[in-house]
Amino acid sequence: MARVVNEIMLCSVLFVIYKALVASCQVGGGEGNDLEQVGVLSLDKNGGIIGEDDGVMKREREVSVGYPLVVSTWPFIKAVRAAWEAVRNGYSAIDAVVEGCSACEELRCDGTVGPGGSPDENGETTIDALLMDGATMEVGAVAAMRYVKDGIAAARLVMRHTRHTLLVGEMASRFAISMGLPGPADLSSPDSMDKWTKWKENSCQPNFWKNVSPSHGCGPYLPVDETSTATNGCNSTIGLPESCRINRHSHDTISMAVIDERRHIAVGTSTNGATFKIPGRVGDGPIAGSSSYADDEVGACGATGDGDIMMRFLPCYQVVESMRLGMEPKRAAEDAVLRIGRKYPDFVGAVFAVNRDGVHGGACYGWTFQYSVRSPNMQDVEVFTVLPLSVR
């Protein structure tokens, strides 16, 4: 009888150990854990996951597209093609990002990248750019750079030849020129100066001032008590008129991610900033974790939109860390965007997310967003459209 009891107890212990081992396998996938998540999954003929209530995961799984891979904000087709040709021909992810963003700077994409666009209040165009290596976590960036048109190339010089992360203003220009980039040069264009002249004729509206006097004219401005009666116009404290709000053609960025054949990841951003910004303003473009972020172990993110708001939330850092914890890219993107929308209902912006397996997704708030992808199983660049989210 005792022998039977002992055998029953032994079987019970072994069963408990077995359940514990199964549970530990199912929990795998966190940081520092080499175990893959396991479970009962059904696959369709294309390798997509078929779940009873998880159609989103299935669709995202089907866009896991292999290597190399290029993803970019907006339908900047020629820029994506330039990055694709570079990485397909053996360039590193870092250098492919530079090729892609440089093409956009040269093309002056949407008038918001490179020279000749987005004049500030003084009519001057300046450049912000960032480059990040997802293998080493090194970052090079320039902000409010004057007289030098090659923003992403200057960011690469900061990364490769200094121990700094960010250089700004005229000192960034001097550094870039000393390292061989062409300059100094006037970054304005007839189009940007015409835009600036019309803005001056419109009493410098819209602008980025608030709680100042005069409220409807050009400066110089003086501060007013922010507890006083709110003013009308674009420096109102009670919500912006539609004509004053950010839109794609006044405030935009190319943000690009590349995964090379060795599965190294890099991201880059280039922009000439917000149109009619206050001189000296720096947005999210050169800020790691805001406009873009990459980690070889996880994936990458790129962002575009109202950088003054977005940089307060570091949405791309949030996206990558959410993916590290197991979120699918699209859900991580949606989560990051909605965090901002809950605090700033008038916010306009978007992010794309891509994990290290090539699964990508996007999310936006306040506008319809498009992002571009090129992979080995595509004949050419494909553009994905994302509809805006709303805060519930």
Side-chain angles (χ1 to χ4, degrees), residues 62-144:
E62 289 175 347
V63 294
S64 179
V65 291
Y67 311 102
L69 175 68
V70 180
V71 186
S72 172
T73 52
W74 302 117
F76 295 147
I77 305 297
K78 292 182 179 178
V80 175
R81 285 175 180 160
W84 171 254
E85 287 302 313
V87 72
R88 189 172 67 96
N89 287 299
Y91 281 52
S92 69
I94 282 285
D95 291 335
V97 167
V98 173
E99 290 295 310
C101 289
S102 292
C104 213
E105 292 170 346
E106 187 69 26
L107 291 164
R108 304 185 180 191
C109 293
D110 270 357
T112 59
V113 180
S118 299
D120 65 17
E121 284 191 340
N122 293 333
E124 183 178 3
T125 297
T126 56
I127 303 294
D128 298 341
L130 172 145
L131 187 65
M132 183 172 186
D133 186 335
T136 65
M137 310 305 287
E138 289 179 292
V139 174
V142 293

Side-chain angles (χ1 to χ4, degrees), residues 64-349:
S64 179
V65 291
Y67 311 102
L69 175 68
V70 180
V71 186
S72 172
T73 52
W74 302 117
F76 295 147
I77 305 297
K78 292 182 179 178
V80 175
R81 285 175 180 160
W84 171 254
E85 287 302 313
V87 72
R88 189 172 67 96
N89 287 299
Y91 281 52
S92 69
I94 282 285
D95 291 335
V97 167
V98 173
E99 290 295 310
C101 289
S102 292
C104 213
E105 292 170 346
E106 187 69 26
L107 291 164
R108 304 185 180 191
C109 293
D110 270 357
T112 59
V113 180
S118 299
D120 65 17
E121 284 191 340
N122 293 333
E124 183 178 3
T125 297
T126 56
I127 303 294
D128 298 341
L130 172 145
L131 187 65
M132 183 172 186
D133 186 335
T136 65
M137 310 305 287
E138 289 179 292
V139 174
V142 293
M145 185 172 69
R146 309 173 73 188
Y147 314 133
V148 177
K149 65 182 179 63
D150 302 301
I152 196 71
R156 180 169 57 184
L157 289 170
V158 174
M159 176 191 287
R160 287 187 172 174
H161 300 291
T162 81
R163 296 182 183 179
H164 299 311
T165 292
L166 174 65
L167 299 181
V168 301
E170 194 164 340
M171 294 299 102
S173 309
R174 292 186 181 183
F175 164 80
I177 293 169
S178 74
M179 298 299 289
L181 293 183
D186 182 1
L187 302 187
S188 300
S189 69
D191 286 344
S192 70
M193 294 309 296
D194 181 62
K195 183 183 294 186
W196 178 71
T197 299
K198 290 178 179 178
W199 177 75
K200 296 285 283 186
E201 293 171 351
N202 192 44
S203 300
C204 302
Q205 299 293 319
N207 63 47
F208 288 90
W209 293 89
K210 67 179 184 179
N211 304 319
V212 296
S213 178
S215 62
H216 293 281
C218 300
Y221 300 97
L222 294 174
V224 299
D225 184 358
E226 60 184 283
T227 62
S228 64
T229 302
T231 59
N232 295 320
C234 291
N235 58 21
S236 172
T237 61
I238 55 173
L240 293 177
E242 189 65 33
S243 61
C244 300
R245 294 182 182 177
I246 299 301
N247 63 66
R248 174 181 168 186
H249 298 289
S250 67
H251 196 300
D252 196 17
T253 303
I254 181 171
S255 188
M256 177 178 286
V258 173
I259 307 178
D260 63 28
E261 290 182 347
R262 294 176 295 173
R263 297 185 71 175
H264 291 317
I265 307 174
V267 291
T269 299
S270 185
T271 180
N272 51 37
T275 305
F276 312 130
K277 58 186 172 286
I278 298 170
R281 177 262 189 186
V282 174
D284 69 327
I287 307 302
S290 189
S291 68
S292 55
Y293 197 73
D295 187 333
D296 274 13
E297 297 177 359
V298 183
C301 168
T304 182
D306 188 345
D308 289 292
I309 299 299
M310 298 179 80
M311 66 194 298
R312 302 170 191 176
F313 292 81
L314 298 179
C316 276
Y317 177 79
Q318 180 67 54
V319 165
V320 171
E321 291 308 304
S322 293
M323 292 193 296
R324 189 191 306 275
L325 296 175
M327 273 194 193
E328 288 292 318
K330 183 172 181 61
R331 290 175 179 170
E334 290 172 345
D335 173 71
V337 166
L338 288 173
R339 287 171 185 257
I340 305 174
R342 291 187 189 101
K343 296 289 187 179
Y344 292 92
D346 292 333
F347 152 73
V348 172

Side-chain angles (χ1 to χ4, degrees), residues 335-377:
D335 173 71
V337 166
L338 288 173
R339 287 171 185 257
I340 305 174
R342 291 187 189 101
K343 296 289 187 179
Y344 292 92
D346 292 333
F347 152 73
V348 172
V351 301
F352 70 75
V354 56
N355 67 20
R356 68 189 304 269
D357 295 323
V359 181
H360 57 82
C364 58
Y365 190 94
W367 59 8
T368 297
F369 173 55
Q370 292 181 304
Y371 69 95
S372 303
V373 180
R374 181 66 163 95
S375 70
N377 65 355

